[in-house]
């Protein structure tokens, strides 16, 4: 008989520690990565080593946070939709009270809209405490939608989700307006560390970032994204910390910046759509609880602070892996040699076991 409650085991290792500073956390912490791609562990580990050799480590700045849900209503015509949109935005204080009546932690912080023909897309933006906020935002939006249908003339129900949020899809709107935590990570790597640890130069990484991440992604038709492999680190981190792994779709949209500063390397990753939480679905498993506790994200803090800490640790982990991969790709054959060697070592270890 098939076990409908089985757990899929994914290999996990802790790498680091990573040195982090900024407006959310000052810490050195190992980070957990659950992945089948075993070369990811030493690669992120090399980036973590670089973070400890930089004076401030990785400076992580959380610049915004919001969870969104868009509802869709149908109006009799475009003029009615426009009038309804104006009325809804003018009543934001009233709608905030509606949200307070249905949730302890959700707060309505913004409303945006889009009109297409006689359809009105309404994008609600919420703060959601330590939860990633998917269900919280949907529940609040459902209550708001019912309220609007009862109080705004000329509109009728179309859908609780109109895809203008946008959840688990690669879109421009999330990169522009943000969904989840928006984190910028920066690292200033001394010249000798670039040469001796990363085995390259700042100039080579800058050139590769322009040609590969920026120009290559442009030619491929990427959507508000210019990076090598944000998704690899995010998936490993999300699986290890009980996140909804499908959110790497929008989470992997982000931009890498690299500058040669007289031989030193300025390296930055901007991630506008980090959707993480420290409470909610996926957090009840024992290994997740252990991992969040070890990361310092189960502490007695004000609502939202543990999730912010988790977000900047995730973003710093992304930078570690991104920097290490780009450095490897500046040298012919290095990436493939590392993959072949590490995969052979893993196979040998399994046979020996």
């Amino acid at each position: 008989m098939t076990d409908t409650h089985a757990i899929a085991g994914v290999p996990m290792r802790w790498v680091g520690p990573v040195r982090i500073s900024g407006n959310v956390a000052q810490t050195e912490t190992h980070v957990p990565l659950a992945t089948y791609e075993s070369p990811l562990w030493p690669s992120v580990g090399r980036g973590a080593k670089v973070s400890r050799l930089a004076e401030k480590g990785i400076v992580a700045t959380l610049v915004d946070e919001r969870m969104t849900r868009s509802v869709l209503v149908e109006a009799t015509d475009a003029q009615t939709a426009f009038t309804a949109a104006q009325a809804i935005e003018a009543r934001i204080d009233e709608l905030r009270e509606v949200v307070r009546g249905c949730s302890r932690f959700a707060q309505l912080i913004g409303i945006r809209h889009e009109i297409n023909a006689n359809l009105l897309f309404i994008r609600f933006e919420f703060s959601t405490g330590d939860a990633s906020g998917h269900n919280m935002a949907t529940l609040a939006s459902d209550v708001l939608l019912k309220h609007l249908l009862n109080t705004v003339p000329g509109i009728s129900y179309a859908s609780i989700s109109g895809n203008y949020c946008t959840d688990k899809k690669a879109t421009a709107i999330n990169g522009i307006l943000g969904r989840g935590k928006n984190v910028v990570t920066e690292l200033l790597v001394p010249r000798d560390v670039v040469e001796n640890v990363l085995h390259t130069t700042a100039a080579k990484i800058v050139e590769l970032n322009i040609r590969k991440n920026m120009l290559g992604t442009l030619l491929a038709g990427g959507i508000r994204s210019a990076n090598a492999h944000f998704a690899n680190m995010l998936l490993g981190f999300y699986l290890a910390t009980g996140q909804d792994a499908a959110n790497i779709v929008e989470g992997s949209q982000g931009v890498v910046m690299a500058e040669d500063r007289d031989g030193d390397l300025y390296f930055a990753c901007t991630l506008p759509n980090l959707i993480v939480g420290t409470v909610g679905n996926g957090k009840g498993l024992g290994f997740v609880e252990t991992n969040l506790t070890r990361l310092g994200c189960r502490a007695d803090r004000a609502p939202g602070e543990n999730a912010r800490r988790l977000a900047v640790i995730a973003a710093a982990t992304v930078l570690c892996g991104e920097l290490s991969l780009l450095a490897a790709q500046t040298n012919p054959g290095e990436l493939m040699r590392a993959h072949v060697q590490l995969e052979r070592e893993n196979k040998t270890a399994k046979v020996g076991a």
Side-chain angles (χ1 to χ4, degrees):
M1 181 180 293
T2 301
D3 185 353
T4 59
H5 298 285
I7 294 178
V10 180
M12 188 192 82
R13 290 187 186 176
W14 288 80
V15 300
V18 181
R19 178 178 295 170
I20 302 170
S21 63
N23 66 348
V24 172
Q26 310 282 329
T27 187
E28 278 197 18
T29 180
H30 287 80
V31 295
L33 294 171
T35 180
Y36 293 113
E37 189 175 353
S38 54
L40 189 65
W41 295 317
S43 180
V44 173
R46 181 167 72 154
K49 179 180 179 180
V50 171
S51 78
R52 302 192 303 275
L53 297 173
E55 182 180 356
K56 296 180 180 179
I58 296 170
V59 182
T61 304
L62 189 144
V63 299
D64 190 55
E65 56 181 324
R66 62 195 62 234
M67 175 48 66
T68 65
R69 174 59 69 200
S70 69
V71 300
L72 176 59
V73 298
E74 181 179 355
T76 52
D77 51 40
Q79 180 61 49
T80 304
F82 179 59
T83 302
Q86 290 179 307
I88 291 167
E89 293 185 355
R91 292 163 56 183
I92 187 169
D93 290 337
E94 171 192 328
L95 299 180
R96 283 173 174 155
E97 287 299 321
V98 172
V99 173
R100 291 188 188 102
C102 71
S103 175
R104 288 187 299 157
F105 297 106
Q107 296 182 38
L108 180 63
I109 58 177
I111 304 174
R112 301 174 189 270
H113 74 270
E114 183 92 11
I115 296 170
N116 186 71
N118 65 325
L119 298 178
L120 173 59
F121 296 80
I122 308 165
R123 191 177 196 260
F124 296 119
E125 301 173 342
F126 304 93
S127 62
T128 56
D130 280 313
S132 62
H134 293 98
N135 293 337
M136 196 182 298
T138 302
L139 172 63
S141 296
D142 189 55
V143 174
L144 286 170
L145 179 55
K146 291 175 183 176
H147 179 77
L148 294 176
L149 293 174
N150 288 331
T151 58
V152 177
I155 60 172
S156 59
Y157 176 85
S159 177
I160 182 58
S161 178
N163 266 13
Y164 193 64
C165 314
T166 295
D167 188 29
K168 301 166 186 170
K169 288 167 280 289
T171 63
I173 194 169
N174 284 351
I176 296 169
L177 300 181
R179 189 170 194 261
K181 306 288 194 291
N182 186 326
V183 182
V184 178
T185 53
E186 302 169 284
L187 181 64
L188 186 60
V189 188
R191 177 201 295 258
D192 64 315
V193 176
V194 177
E195 294 174 352
N196 298 325
V197 179
L198 296 175
H199 309 299
T200 187
T201 67
K204 287 181 179 179
I205 289 180
V206 169
E207 182 179 64
L208 181 62
N209 186 53
I210 293 171
R211 292 176 171 180
K212 169 192 170 71
N213 283 349
M214 295 187 176
L215 181 57
T217 305
L218 172 68
L219 294 176
I223 301 175
R224 289 191 63 85
S225 193
N227 65 77
H229 71 145
F230 281 14
N232 266 333
M233 287 72 73
L234 284 180
L235 179 59
F237 192 86
Y238 278 16
L239 290 177
T241 59
Q243 311 305 314
D244 188 335
N247 284 128
I248 66 165
V249 174
E250 61 261 57
S252 63
Q253 289 181 285
V255 176
V256 175
M257 272 283 291
E259 294 179 357
D260 180 353
R261 298 185 176 179
D262 295 325
D264 295 341
L265 172 66
Y266 170 80
F267 194 83
C269 297
T270 298
L271 297 95
N273 306 314
L274 272 179
I275 299 175
V276 298
T278 56
V279 298
N281 287 346
K283 313 307 182 295
L285 298 173
F287 80 92
V288 171
E289 182 71 27
T290 298
N291 292 349
L292 290 175
T293 299
R294 184 171 172 181
L295 288 169
C297 296
R298 281 298 199 198
D300 184 13
R301 299 189 176 100
E305 290 187 6
N306 281 326
R308 294 181 194 111
R309 178 183 174 89
L310 188 65
V312 299
I313 295 173
T317 304
V318 168
L319 184 145
C320 290
E322 187 76 6
L323 174 60
S324 185
L325 177 68
L326 284 178
Q329 289 182 345
T330 63
N331 298 313
E334 180 181 330
L335 178 66
M336 204 60 245
R337 284 194 303 272
H339 269 260
V340 170
Q341 178 183 347
L342 290 165
E343 287 169 2
R344 283 177 178 170
E345 288 175 356
N346 283 333
K347 288 179 181 178
T348 301
K350 289 176 182 177
V351 171

